[in-house]
Amino acid sequence: MWQIIKNEWRFLSRTKLLLAISLSFVFVLMISLFLGDYQSKKQTETYNVAKNDLRQQWEAIKEMNPHGAAHYGTYAFKPTTLLSSLDEGVNRITGNVLRVEGHVQNEIVYSEASQMQAVSKFGKLRSSLLLQYIVPILLIFLAFSAISSEKQSGRLKLLVLQGAKPSQLILAKTLSVWLFGVGLLALVLGSYSLLNIQNIDSNVFARAFLFFLSYSLYYFIIIGLTVFFSTYWQNTTVALTSILGLWILWTLFLPNILMSSVEKWHPLPSRNEFNTAMKEDRSEGLDGHNPSDKRKKEFQKEVLKKYEVDSISQLPINFDGLVMQADEEYGNKVWDKHFGNLRQVLAQQKQSFQLGGILNPFISLQNTSMGLMASDNLHHQEFLLQVENYRRVFIKTLNDKQTFGGSKTGDWEWKADNDFFKSVPDFDYKPTSLTSVLPNYLLDFFLLFFWTTVVGICLIFGTKKMQII
Amino acid sequence: MNSISIFLYEWKHFIRSPFKILAILFFVLAGIYGLHNGANLYQKQKTEITKIKQKVIEQQEKILAYYNKGEKSPKDRPWIDLTNPFWAIWSLTTYHFKTPSPAIVYSMGQAEQYGFYKSISINSSPYDADMAEEISNPERLQTGTLDFSFVVIFLLPLLLLILLYNIKVGEAEKGFLPLIYVQTGEKNKWLLARVAFYGVLLFMISFALLLYGAMLTRVFESQSKTFFQIGFWILLYLLFWILINYLILLKSKTIVANILQMVGVWLIFAFIIPASVHQWVSIEKPTNLMIDMIDVWRNSQEKILSQPDSVIDQQLYALIPEIQHAEISKDTTRKVMARMYSMNALAQELLKASITAITKENQAKNDLIGSSFWFNPVSFFQNKFNTLSQTHYQDYENYRQGIQTLIDKRIKIMVVDVWKDTKVDKNRYLEYNQIFKK
């Protein structure tokens, strides 16, 4: 078998057209890699400038009332990771700036897509675009010509007469084209590693390895099917158009249709409905029978009892700060309920979409690709959650200062000094570890392995009775 | 055999090719699906707008009840004074909508990347957080919705490929091409007539789909001109691909080579060129994180207040000359409150200056994209369809400008009424409502 693979490679390297096309692909892949990397680094610079600028402004506050500072707020920017230079995922669609302030959890805004007219339906010239859409087409043509040329020249018959088993021949041809695809992948990831050698840690390495694995499996599926169609159908044109038709169905139709369908199966509320429900829960109480003024009165009683005084003016602390923090905590519960529901619906949508991989391995590839490159919705939600957790610490710090910093109830003119503002921690995004998200992609990997097995079986058993002339 | 006979004879070829008929059926189904997606979005946005309008009426009725009872404020908010123009306008909720065009059925464009309703207050800005798009799955937005423009832009060329790939070379491989040349005379004319048949067929199918879409959202009631414009651009787009494929067929040698070249050209125009332009634009003009606007947002009040009162007054008079000789401008005590209420007018001017910079930067990005259209036809046609269905970036920019106009109007009326010491009653409140709606 190894001999056949070597012969195939020799043939590929001697065919000038194939060699020229392959070299062009390598060139475009390298360009996409360098540009993707350069753009990510440039965007990271913009991010760092913005982050430092905002922090400097915060630390420059000489004196301010802590509650005033909660309204002044701060901003969290969505960082660009180096991994996303390979697959940008949802990053061009989602916003980049999130205002962090008291009383309210804001939405992330200012996406790249909203700042310009439409350009590319399939995203930027990133490696993932070429590896997902273009390289499979090249592999289809290579695999197709590997079989049809042997059939047309009559060499296939000669090889069988010389003692080669048809299934062995087919498998060897499949593997020779597959190794070409894997070679392209290795080249991309190898160059990526060289470009970012200083930033590669075990997490990045593991993600890159699984990225490589998922693409390798997909390439085997697409090449195997092409070879199978080429051997199964006598008419070469029908074989080629069938596999191209399947490619169109898998990459253009099904992901689109399925994603729209899952949003109908698991509907999300409209923004207006969602905000109205949140507002209602906050003012009327989560159970609908505990309005905010009633909650405030009960809270006041509790505080007075705790400090063993009769009126707010006798309190040694600032009651306003306590009320605001209690209101924040209630608001947090409301947020947890509603955003929890939202995340649940999004998770259901994701699961249903992943099951689409039973029909279409391209869906599994897309999921693993952007998931492993930390640019899917799961990682986006993780970012939002980290910002919300930070917001809670940030606001509590300010409310505690208002309460226990030395001011009295009703004294809104009281101000905290610069040292306090400098001591308030800045938002620091912690990249999500692979181990915490990997279980979400196991189904995709399972389906890719499932498809690989099915295609392998088709190749071994389905081509036994092929006509070799 | 003349060209018309060749043209008509192609019908026989076509109906004897089940594979081609299947491809056309598939295209029609995809087109219908896409049109329904557009119609659903149209209906969804209309329903949402109706709901919000109802909510606004309910909120306004609550405020009107205070005027009817002669109360100045809600009991739990004693600091509010509804007879004061500042508080009356503060409590008046109005929305500005980006009403969907019925032509959205053809192209959803960028409609899902922006909000389409915005509550307006004196503190608003066209870049507020509530301008975010509807809650949706980002992965769905990234995959994109299969709308009619997607079917035309990406699938129409593929369908053309399926219909044309074996013309001429099919006959050549079977060995009767010389016979055909003898019968038809001029070979290029024969090829052109056959290609033209499929061009006409596809245009008729696309036009039928356009008509079907028009029925879904009643396009002819208000957008009949748009209907024909979209039809015209589809025709041009089809001609573009027919020309490319005709040239490939003219030089073709084998069916496989034909397919390889046609798919190759399609990949270059549909994927590689738009993606490269997108990458280039992102490098030249990275995503704006709106730092300048954020600075203004947070620091404008402080910056204005740090100036002497006389300077603030001069700035206000320059901005709204009507207040210079108003009664309150002569009363130093009452002037303090009026000045405080008017602070938003000056803050809004600073904010507008920062927004102008953002708009210019976005325009520069769009110019960069526009400069690529001569070699990037897919993006050109996509944006053309988006413009016609009013879902282009520029339509949302116009919507933002509409929001800014309403904010300016609201602030100006509030400041003038505050300085003129107008007492707001039910009638004036209703007048405000009418003015701010426009």
Side-chain angles (χ1 to χ4, degrees), chain A residues 272 276, chain B residues 45-64 93-95 97 117 433 437:
Chain A
N272 180 41
T276 308
Chain B
Q45 292 199 348
K46 294 264 282 187
T47 311
E48 204 58 41
I49 288 172
T50 311
K51 275 186 197 167
I52 292 166
K53 280 182 176 168
Q54 186 55 40
K55 196 170 105 178
V56 168
I57 291 170
E58 284 165 17
Q59 282 173 348
Q60 286 173 358
E61 275 170 0
K62 272 186 198 168
I63 301 293
L64 280 173
T93 312
T94 54
Y95 273 80
F97 300 102
Y117 50 89
N433 191 20
K437 260 186 192 173

Side-chain angles (χ1 to χ4, degrees), chain A residues 45-108:
Chain A
E45 273 173 34
T46 313
Y47 163 82
N48 285 334
V49 168
K51 188 173 155 59
N52 292 338
D53 185 61
L54 265 284
R55 184 62 193 173
Q56 275 171 18
Q57 278 187 27
W58 179 261
E59 289 187 1
I61 299 173
K62 282 179 188 157
E63 46 175 25
M64 194 186 271
N65 176 272
H67 186 61
H71 279 288
Y72 182 76
T74 188
Y75 288 79
F77 300 99
K78 193 174 174 187
T80 310
T81 61
L82 277 175
L83 285 166
S84 67
S85 65
L86 286 175
D87 190 337
E88 199 185 18
V90 300
N91 290 351
R92 78 190 163 101
I93 298 294
T94 56
N96 292 292
V97 185
L98 189 49
R99 180 164 160 74
V100 174
E101 61 177 326
H103 306 306
V104 61
Q105 286 97 345
N106 288 302
E107 287 179 65
I108 190 162

